[in-house]
Amino acid sequence: GKTLWREKDSQRSGALWPEQGCAALGRCCPGRDPTCVARGPPRCFCDQACGAVRDCCPDYARVCPVVSCVVAEWSGWSCCVKSCQISYRIRRRRVLREPRNGGAPCPPLEEQAGCVDYRSRQGVECQQSLIPALITTGSYGKERKKRRVPKKYCVQFQLGPIPGSCRQVRAPHAQWTRYLTQGHTVCVSCEWPAQDARSRRCYGDASPLSCRNQLLQWQAAGHPPCRGTWERLRQLRDCSCPEVHSLVFV
């Protein structure tokens, strides 16, 4: 009778006997695991689903706390995988702490972004130009390795019709294509290494002496289905468009 009274009192107070609970079991199990059960009476569980079923051991929250994934900062972008053609670059990050007990899962550990390397692995300049013009968000220009080169310049274009594929994008590095709108003016920065060594003009940028109202072609780096036409308006020394309309020749 005394033992039964102690068991009932323990159940009412949430206290545990020395050999009861998750601490004594020594396990914290993912999902619903019927084998992840601690000694009773009454029996209680130490699995992730016990909260929804409401049969957790009293010490579950203390012994099996929710731990979310933690990742390191992104590495720098790699060089383009292939030179002298439209290719892609990669950056990675590593897991610092794995998720446990229903914590938030780890985000993607690798990203790719479109790019072009205008020099071969031997350092020889590529003898070609890109048609259509390959463009990406202006933030890419800030990530490029800098060196002493002639001053960059800016070109303003008026966008023509925008295909629906520009808004059907999942890749994080191509989300900027969602903001492209027909009739809007965009600023495209021309800077190294997209500049031709001789003419100091960007591959894909028409000559300032070309016919006005001439429609030129463009394509989003890293999202090939997003492509269209634009009209060259003017050349400026500096770009002054809003961030969502600030682009760079790749």
Side-chain angles (χ1 to χ4, degrees):
K2 186 175 182 180
T3 300
L4 180 61
W5 176 84
R6 289 181 59 188
E7 290 176 355
K8 290 182 178 179
D9 184 64
S10 175
Q11 296 170 26
R12 287 193 298 267
S13 65
L16 293 168
W17 286 32
E19 296 182 358
Q20 290 179 315
C22 300
L25 180 64
R27 295 172 60 196
C28 299
C29 309
R32 182 58 172 167
D33 187 347
T35 68
C36 198
V37 58
R39 295 178 57 183
R43 291 198 315 165
C44 58
F45 290 83
C46 302
D47 59 3
Q48 183 182 337
C50 71
V53 183
R54 304 183 69 178
D55 58 3
C56 297
C57 293
D59 65 345
Y60 174 78
R62 175 176 59 84
V63 178
C64 305
V66 173
V67 177
S68 297
C69 177
V70 176
V71 296
E73 295 294 323
W74 285 109
S75 68
W77 286 103
S78 70
C79 296
C80 292
V81 175
K82 297 180 180 180
S83 57
C84 297
Q85 60 180 290
I86 297 174
S87 183
Y88 64 93
R89 58 201 172 113
I90 301 172
R91 67 176 181 175
R92 296 184 174 94
R93 56 186 173 185
R94 59 189 177 87
V95 175
L96 299 178
R97 185 178 67 195
E98 295 284 354
R100 299 194 303 273
N101 309 322
C106 294
L109 301 178
E110 180 178 298
E111 279 189 349
Q112 296 183 1
C115 66
V116 176
D117 191 343
Y118 291 96
R119 290 184 177 272
S120 68
R121 295 290 181 262
Q122 293 74 36
V124 180
E125 186 173 356
C126 306
Q127 298 300 313
Q128 66 184 63
S129 61
L130 291 174
I131 301 173
L134 193 66
I135 57 172
T136 189
T137 177
S139 62
Y140 173 48
K142 300 175 183 177
E143 299 166 357
R144 283 171 159 164
K145 294 181 179 179
K146 305 301 181 184
R147 75 173 195 179
R148 292 181 178 275
V149 293
K151 291 183 179 180
K152 63 183 180 180
Y153 65 90
C154 180
V155 186
Q156 285 188 336
F157 294 90
Q158 186 175 45
L159 292 170
I162 306 297
S165 56
C166 293
R167 289 179 172 78
Q168 298 168 357
V169 56
R170 295 182 179 179
H173 64 267
Q175 293 297 311
W176 61 273
T177 63
R178 294 176 177 269
Y179 301 101
L180 298 176
T181 304
Q182 180 176 357
H184 281 193
T185 298
V186 294
C187 295
V188 189
S189 179
C190 174
E191 54 192 74
W192 180 88
Q195 285 179 338
D196 177 75
R198 296 179 180 84
S199 69
R200 303 304 182 190
R201 304 203 63 78
C202 271
Y203 298 105
D205 174 28
S207 166
L209 301 178
S210 60
C211 298
R212 185 166 175 79
N213 300 324
Q214 179 185 5
L215 291 181
L216 306 170
Q217 298 179 12
W218 59 267
Q219 178 182 315
H223 188 40
C226 180
R227 56 194 304 160
T229 59
W230 56 14
E231 178 188 344
R232 192 183 198 277
L233 299 179
R234 62 186 65 86
Q235 178 177 321
L236 305 171
R237 188 178 66 176
D238 299 305
C239 290
S240 58
C241 290
E243 184 175 357
V244 293
H245 293 151
S246 295
L247 309 174
V248 62
F249 287 109
V250 177

